[in-house]
Amino acid sequence: MKKIGFFDSGIGGISVLRDAVRLMPEENYIYYGDTANAPYGGRSKKEIYDLTMEGVNYLLSQDIKALVIACNTATSVAVGDIRKDLSIPVISMEPAIKPALENVSGKVLVMATPATLAQERYIRLAEALDSQHRVINCPCEHLAGLIEKNLYDNPSVIADYLRQLLAPYAGKAEAVVLGCTHYIFVKGAIAGIMKGARLFDGNAGTVAHLKDVLTAQGIKEPGGRKGTIILNSSSDDQYTLKMYSRLLSAEQ
Ligand code: DGL
């Protein structure tokens, strides 16, 4: 039985995989996180493109029936070219600006990597949706890297960084878009600083879309069975893989 491949620069895509497994436990999954090269968000476009292609090619060699680019940064740089050459469905991520703008009337703070916010794909999306100029971009230069390294061992480093980064916006935004899959793991800390703001992310929409696409193409596994999950990383040490499986079974 064929698997669904998930790609991210590191641990972030586990948050998307986790939602997919909850929605479709009957599917078989293979995850590849490029933790050895994470974070991607401060790298050049060419570096992000090449690393993404390497990870995607690994997943394509694993007999997958669909590919999820569970990374906003990799999507914004490479998804166009990935789609061009593939016959299997490719599902990707984009910052959830649309639901945020539709659900609040005030300012919307978009937290994402500098690379995501600089790409044409994001700039066009924001221009198309934000006619009233309510979007405020917040490039989070170090956040994904700090989450990758400190989530369990040293969470106060992340909390300190977030307090500094978000201080200018506290009380000023009605919504916050988590435009990077890593940020899902620090949702609580962000909500605590941005009191009263509604948080939006693309995870639920992405996995719902994945399900629709599998169903429409007739390649969805029937329910009533439990599929398998393979976790893989470019950083093949035990710590990384343990972290992946810990996050996969975490509640939030
Ligand atoms: N998880 C990623 C995203 O959604 C990438 C973070 C990074 O590697 O900088 O953008």
Side-chain angles (χ1 to χ4, degrees):
M1 255 173 353
K2 290 199 173 197
K3 303 180 272 288
I4 304 170
F6 272 69
F7 172 77
D8 181 48
S9 63
I11 59 175
I14 296 276
S15 70
V16 190
L17 174 63
R18 191 171 64 186
D19 287 352
V21 174
R22 283 179 189 155
L23 187 67
M24 295 177 285
E26 62 277 9
E27 294 291 340
N28 296 327
Y29 298 93
I30 179 163
Y31 184 87
Y32 182 78
D34 190 11
T35 286
N37 295 301
Y40 280 10
R43 290 180 178 274
S44 72
K45 191 172 174 180
K46 164 129 180 53
E47 280 178 317
I48 297 168
Y49 184 89
D50 291 347
L51 291 169
T52 301
M53 289 305 184
E54 230 175 273
V56 165
N57 283 331
Y58 164 74
L59 286 169
L60 291 173
S61 74
Q62 301 300 302
D63 199 23
I64 55 173
K65 64 179 180 182
L67 173 67
V68 179
I69 309 292
C71 175
N72 294 265
T73 308
T75 295
S76 60
V77 169
V79 78
D81 281 0
I82 294 170
R83 281 212 173 98
K84 248 194 277 169
D85 298 334
L86 288 181
S87 53
I88 59 168
V90 179
I91 312 298
S92 62
M93 310 282 309
E94 70 185 14
I97 308 183
K98 191 167 190 278
L101 286 169
E102 283 170 0
N103 281 282
V104 306
S105 55
K107 297 280 184 198
V108 171
L109 187 72
V110 180
M111 298 176 68
T113 66
T116 296
L117 297 176
Q119 299 315 309
E120 223 186 295
R121 191 181 174 86
Y122 172 78
I123 294 168
R124 269 193 274 118
L125 176 78
E127 269 172 12
L129 298 172
D130 183 28
S131 53
Q132 295 169 312
H133 305 291
R134 288 193 284 131
V135 166
I136 308 168
N137 289 333
C138 178
C140 307
E141 202 181 339
H142 302 296
L143 187 53
L146 288 174
I147 294 170
E148 192 79 27
K149 291 198 178 62
N150 301 289
L151 188 61
Y152 286 123
D153 295 343
N154 205 357
S156 64
V157 178
I158 305 170
D160 290 346
Y161 176 76
L162 280 173
R163 265 194 297 275
Q164 239 184 348
L165 179 78
L166 296 175
Y169 311 107
K172 293 189 184 122
E174 229 181 284
V176 177
V177 173
L178 306 179
C180 165
T181 51
H182 280 67
Y183 305 169
I184 307 297
F185 298 125
V186 294
K187 226 180 194 175
I190 294 170
I193 299 164
M194 298 299 292
K195 280 195 183 59
R198 284 181 64 183
L199 266 45
F200 292 85
D201 66 68
N203 283 22
T206 299
V207 299
H209 180 54
L210 171 64
K211 186 177 179 183
D212 289 347
V213 170
L214 296 176
T215 307
Q217 299 215 0
I219 53 173
K220 196 185 157 308
E221 294 302 327
R225 67 180 285 275
K226 198 169 163 26
T228 56
I229 304 171
I230 299 168
L231 300 175
N232 250 321
S233 172
S234 54
S235 159
D236 214 358
D237 61 85
Q238 279 317 302
Y239 177 80
T240 301
L241 294 176
K242 258 192 213 142
M243 176 99 158
Y244 287 8
S245 59
R246 187 171 171 182
L247 288 169
L248 188 60
S249 46
E251 276 303 301
Q252 230 236 5

